[in-house]
Amino acid sequence: MLLHGANGAGKTNLLEALHVGTQGFSPRARRDVQMIRFGADASRISLAGARGANAFETETRLARGDSRTVTLNGERLDSAERLRHELTTLVFTPDRLAVVKGAPATRRAYLDRVVGRLLPARAKLAGDYGSAVGQRNAALRRIRAGQSSRDALAPWTERVVALGGELIGARAETAELLSPPFTELAETFGLAGAALAYEGPALTAAELEGRLDADIERGITGAGPHLHDLRVEAGGRDLRVYGSQGEQRVAVLSLVLAEAELLRERVGLSPLVLLDDVLSELDGSRRAALAEVITRAAQTVVTATAAEALPTEPAVSLVVTPGRVG
């Protein structure tokens, strides 16, 4: 599907609504109030579709001064996690360049989301590990304050090491799964030698014990996957430091499409892929390559300022004007 219209017509808002309605959160707004029309007290997003042979309906309500409510097939969900478990949406926006050029924490969060989608049995690992590190950090601060003994730290150290090892394994496996299609797609878009690598050593009890004095002094756990990174490179160059914005853009696009391919192969269902303003900085040959890739896929929504920006005939082409789609 191609959504085209002038700048400011509302194309990005429409993609944002699709993302909120299927994932329960916005890919760009930090607070719900930012998604409510100026002068209005609330907003509502209602969607209907099919996941394989199963039809679904979702509704997301946002209100000033109140928490959001999400329903799926008439059932109110206690968290958006359940919605994301049932429906999968991947998105490219200019803001997503932070996955490549941002801080390591951004790439860790991205990789953990991919782990949850590709390896659903291990989806909770990142949260469980984070909770264990938080408990260990609290214990470290109690020791520093003289309110506890070092012996009380042992159970949390054991849990951090156990969960940390599982999380490192899941992240490394996910990076290995993503790397081949990422490399192939990036090459298609003119970025040669692109590759992914998970960067971070194994976590052991001996390592944490060896740095215990420093951890107590600082009150934080100074080693583990909460400090690791995902290296995104091309031709041996770290694209965070040595990549142009165009190369970073191609890398993020390739990541999104690589994950979509893996989900189709592993799960047998096509995720909804939202590509916002993806064509504006691609030259003619790269636009043609993108058109060929998304033609092979399904469930892709692309925005552009003009219909001719996409060098293929979309299944659906809609004009977006302020307050209207048709």
Side-chain angles (χ1 to χ4, degrees), residues 88-93 96 99 110 114 117-118 177-190 196 248-266 269-276 278-279 282 286-302 310:
T88 302
T89 298
L90 308 179
V91 62
F92 171 93
T93 69
R96 294 297 302 281
V99 171
Y110 158 76
V114 181
R117 289 188 287 260
L118 292 180
L177 287 170
L178 270 177
S179 195
F182 168 74
T183 299
E184 181 179 347
L185 284 161
E187 179 76 29
T188 298
F189 301 139
L196 303 174
Q248 293 168 347
R249 190 181 183 91
V250 165
V252 175
L253 175 61
S254 300
L255 284 171
V256 171
L257 296 176
E259 185 182 354
E261 284 191 3
L262 283 173
L263 286 169
R264 283 191 291 273
E265 293 173 1
R266 295 175 67 88
L269 293 173
S270 293
L272 176 62
V273 179
L274 309 175
L275 304 179
D276 186 33
V278 73
L279 300 168
L282 297 179
R286 288 177 175 82
R287 288 186 183 188
L290 175 62
E292 181 181 350
V293 169
I294 62 177
T295 299
R296 300 197 305 261
Q299 303 283 333
T300 303
V301 182
V302 183
L310 184 67

Side-chain angles (χ1 to χ4, degrees), residues 210-289:
R211 58 173 301 109
L212 183 55
D213 289 340
D215 283 358
I216 291 173
E217 181 179 351
R218 298 175 63 201
I220 59 173
T221 300
H226 58 290
L227 300 172
H228 293 176
D229 201 356
L230 175 68
R231 180 180 174 89
V232 185
E233 65 176 40
R237 294 178 293 119
D238 184 343
L239 291 179
R240 178 191 179 192
V241 181
Y242 300 107
S244 68
Q245 179 161 301
E247 290 175 322
Q248 293 168 347
R249 190 181 183 91
V250 165
V252 175
L253 175 61
S254 300
L255 284 171
V256 171
L257 296 176
E259 185 182 354
E261 284 191 3
L262 283 173
L263 286 169
R264 283 191 291 273
E265 293 173 1
R266 295 175 67 88
V267 182
L269 293 173
S270 293
L272 176 62
V273 179
L274 309 175
L275 304 179
D276 186 33
D277 193 30
V278 73
L279 300 168
S280 62
E281 293 188 23
L282 297 179
D283 59 28
S285 62
R286 288 177 175 82
R287 288 186 183 188

